[in-house]
Amino acid sequence: VVSGELPPTHFRVVGVGSHNYTYSAVEKPFWEKTLPAASQGQITAELVGLSESGLKGPEIIRLMRANALDIGMGVFAFVSGDDAMFEGVDLPGMAPDIATARRMVQAYRPVLKQRMRERHGVHLLATVPYTAQVFFCREPVKSLADLKGRKVRTRGSNMADFVSALGAAPVTIAFAEVIPALQTGVVDCAVTGIGSGNAAKWYDVAKYLYNLPIDWSIGFYAIGEKRWQQLDPAVRQLLQDQAAILEDRLWEQTALENDYAMACNTGQGECRIHSPADMQASGPVGPEREALRAVASQVAGQWGKRCGPDCAKAWSDSVGHALGVTLP
């Protein structure tokens, strides 16, 4: 199709929080320049960050289904109240690095895409990773055993199950309340993205970083199925092709951000994007990794029970097959 044949089309897009690195590095240039350029100006988009949109996050799928929003970005963990199956994209402890996380997501993608369309009335455009969700702690963590008995801020039931299985006590606290909670000892550690924790200056109160990626806060870009079907087929094709480019850039830049954020938090290596700090970092070694795999399988099994047999089978046949894990 020659792009001159494309009907003029405009999208209102709600992206990631505008304070995130990928918002200015990847999303803004994609929606405002790359997509219009690829369509010779026929497709335009207006992007706002989640915080500016006045939305909280969990309602994003329902708004797209109701055609109240064109294209939206969400985090699977935040919309999993609508559907436990979403959690399977990012089960805790399954991906020790971002390359494994991407393999998981690619394997699960057909399952997600079908589920989002049939059950939720939205069309999946792209997947979105965040930096590794790791432990920011007040006291040193020399080994996995040091987490036992500690009160740890988590988000979502899977992460809480994982932290419990490590012998720690999960506590639910809003992101904005973490620093005072760490200061007063309400929690001993808090889990968040290795980049987000730096941006929020958690290193002022948490001097120790335990680099055990629980998950990668995998998210998505999607469009309401009704809106998708109303689009000209040539526009659909171009948007899908371009979304694949957006997805690749998001994964590449997040992998870089992850490395930079580690360097920034510890004050060692190349610190870009975030602020230099002087945290002491440690991470699981040797036999601890085996123990963590067992914990990850146990928590995945608990999720499989919650999600149901069809869901567990769909996961085992896709992600499980890619990683060599079968749910009980």
Side-chain angles (χ1 to χ4, degrees), residues 40-328:
Q40 292 179 0
Q42 293 299 95
I43 302 178
T44 53
E46 173 192 354
L47 174 71
V48 293
L50 186 65
S51 32
E52 291 80 6
S53 71
L55 302 175
K56 293 276 182 281
E59 72 280 49
I60 204 96
I61 282 188
R62 294 192 286 271
L63 289 173
M64 289 188 287
R65 185 173 61 220
N67 240 352
L69 174 67
D70 292 334
I71 294 174
M73 185 266 162
V75 175
F76 283 113
F78 293 160
V79 296
S80 61
D82 290 353
D83 195 339
M85 196 168 200
F86 288 157
E87 296 172 308
V89 73
D90 199 22
L91 290 178
M94 284 287 168
D97 52 62
I98 197 164
T100 309
R102 187 149 200 202
R103 271 192 17 244
M104 277 176 65
V105 173
Q106 282 169 331
Y108 203 51
R109 189 192 182 110
V111 176
L112 279 174
K113 192 165 180 168
Q114 184 180 356
R115 182 75 161 201
M116 289 171 87
R117 189 181 68 241
E118 291 176 2
R119 168 81 62 100
H120 301 282
V122 297
H123 175 86
L124 177 64
L125 289 169
T127 60
V128 181
Y130 283 86
T131 53
Q133 303 285 307
V134 297
F135 294 79
F136 288 73
C137 295
R138 285 160 34 119
E139 304 292 329
V141 186
K142 299 272 194 294
S143 72
L144 195 53
D146 289 346
L147 291 173
K148 282 198 167 63
R150 293 203 193 181
K151 301 186 293 283
V152 181
R153 179 262 180 181
T154 59
R155 59 120 180 85
S157 46
N158 278 326
M159 192 184 278
D161 287 348
F162 187 80
V163 163
S164 298
L166 297 177
V171 183
T172 305
I173 293 178
F175 186 84
E177 289 153 29
V178 168
I179 287 186
L182 281 164
Q183 278 168 331
T184 54
V186 170
V187 292
D188 304 303
C189 303
V191 176
T192 195
I194 195 168
S196 325
N198 181 290
K201 299 193 171 20
W202 285 11
Y203 51 76
D204 286 342
V205 288
K207 294 292 178 194
Y208 302 92
L209 187 136
Y210 191 57
N211 189 23
L212 156 59
I214 298 190
D215 63 37
W216 298 83
S217 263
I218 303 298
F220 58 87
Y221 261 111
I223 181 170
E225 184 66 25
K226 274 200 201 96
R227 178 84 171 100
W228 178 250
Q229 293 302 341
Q230 288 162 354
L231 294 175
D232 184 279
V235 172
R236 279 206 297 263
Q237 187 63 55
L238 187 108
L239 184 57
Q240 195 68 67
D241 294 346
Q242 291 297 312
I245 292 169
L246 171 66
E247 179 169 87
D248 282 344
R249 284 184 191 160
L250 285 165
W251 282 90
E252 281 158 21
Q253 287 300 315
T254 300
L256 281 176
E257 183 190 359
N258 208 65
D259 293 345
Y260 293 145
M262 185 63 175
C264 293
N265 283 320
T266 58
Q268 291 166 6
E270 191 180 1
C271 172
R272 293 198 201 170
I273 301 164
H274 298 293
S275 312
D278 58 352
M279 296 183 76
Q280 300 289 311
S282 57
V285 290
E288 291 179 326
R289 291 185 184 281
E290 291 305 314
L292 284 168
R293 270 198 276 278
V295 170
S297 294
Q298 176 195 328
V299 172
Q302 289 168 288
W303 167 76
K305 283 199 191 74
R306 211 170 58 235
C307 199
D310 292 351
C311 175
K313 184 178 184 322
W315 190 91
S316 294
D317 291 348
S318 56
V319 183
H321 184 70
L323 299 187
V325 179
T326 308
L327 294 188

